[in-house]
Amino acid sequence: QAACELFKELYLSMKKTPMPSTVDLDIAFAIDMTGSMSPYISAAVDTTKSLICGNTSVLTKLTKKFPEIDFNLRTAVLAYRDIDDAENQFQQSLWKECHFTKDVPSAINFIQCSTKTPSGGKDIAEDHLGAIKHCTDWNGPEDWQAPIKFIVMLTDAPAHGLVPQSSKHIPNADNYGIRHPQGLTPEAVIGELFL
C-alpha cells in the first residue's frame, strides 16, 4: 500500500512536468536464509516471485495504473545469513558484473537455488543491517542505475540491536545487541539509502 501511495505521489508530481515515456526501477530482494526461516522460505520465495512476474507483479500493477508509461524492472537478489555464519553469510546474484537483471526467469532461478537450504543464525536476531549495507554497497557500473530503487527484505526476526524488550530475557535473543561487529547502526545504514 505504501508503495502504491509513493507511486501515486510520484505520478501526480510528474503530471506537473512532461510525462516520461519510460521509467526504470531497480528492486533488490534481501532474503533471510537463517535456519529459523525454514518453515517460511517457501512463502518468501512465492512472495518474491509474485512481485516480479504474473498478475500480481509490480510491473503488471504499475502498467495498469499508468498505461502511458513503459516500466522497466531490474531485479537483484541477496540471500543472507547471520554475522557468525562468516564466509557463508552472503550469496548474491551477479550477471555480467551487474547484480541486477531484466531476465525474470534467471532471477527466479537464482532465488530458488539460493534459498534451498536455510541454515545458520545462532541467535534470534539477524544481520539485517549487514544485508542492507551489502546491497547498497553494490557498485558495479550497471548497479543501482534506475532513478527508482527499492530493497525488499523478507525475514522472520528482528535486527541485531532491535530485539523487543519483552524478548530480551530469552537465551540467545541477540548476541550483538549492544554493538554490531562492523559498527553498523540503523541510522547510518538507512541514511545511505537516501544518498
Side-chain angles (χ1 to χ4, degrees), residues 15-195:
K15 284 190 99 163
K16 297 174 186 170
T17 60
M19 186 66 71
S21 59
T22 62
V23 173
D24 296 329
L25 301 100
D26 285 345
I27 299 180
F29 291 97
I31 305 171
D32 178 351
M33 281 298 304
T34 57
S36 64
M37 280 292 288
S38 290
Y40 314 110
I41 202 64
S42 178
V45 169
D46 290 346
T47 298
T48 305
K49 286 170 30 180
S50 74
L51 288 170
I52 59 175
C53 67
N55 293 333
T56 60
S57 74
V58 171
L59 284 182
T60 299
K61 290 182 178 184
L62 286 173
T63 301
K64 284 181 184 175
K65 190 82 170 173
F66 309 105
E68 66 279 7
I69 299 174
D70 181 26
F71 291 95
N72 299 305
L73 175 68
R74 297 187 323 152
T75 305
V77 182
L78 175 71
Y80 69 97
R81 292 183 171 85
D82 206 6
I83 295 164
D84 292 330
D85 295 308
E87 69 276 351
N88 295 322
Q89 186 176 10
F90 300 115
Q91 185 178 356
Q92 60 194 353
S93 59
L94 192 60
W95 290 277
K96 296 182 183 178
E97 299 183 17
C98 183
H99 293 88
F100 292 87
T101 184
K102 290 181 181 180
D103 184 348
V104 172
S106 290
I108 290 172
N109 184 57
F110 184 86
I111 291 165
Q112 291 172 324
C113 290
S114 64
T115 58
K116 282 186 179 178
T117 54
S119 64
K122 295 183 168 109
D123 57 2
I124 293 171
E126 306 302 357
D127 191 17
H128 306 321
L129 294 178
I132 294 168
K133 174 101 171 89
H134 197 85
C135 290
T136 60
D137 283 350
W138 289 336
N139 62 0
E142 297 298 318
D143 286 333
W144 295 115
Q145 292 300 304
I148 301 173
K149 305 166 181 76
F150 294 96
I151 297 176
V152 177
M153 182 167 279
L154 295 112
T155 184
D156 68 330
H160 286 293
L162 299 174
V163 172
Q165 193 65 35
S166 60
S167 298
K168 290 190 178 184
H169 69 282
I170 299 171
N172 294 326
D174 191 350
N175 294 344
Y176 300 98
I178 296 174
R179 183 181 180 281
H180 190 282
Q182 296 174 348
L184 301 178
T185 64
E187 297 79 15
V189 171
I190 300 306
E192 286 187 29
L193 295 175
F194 296 102
L195 296 177

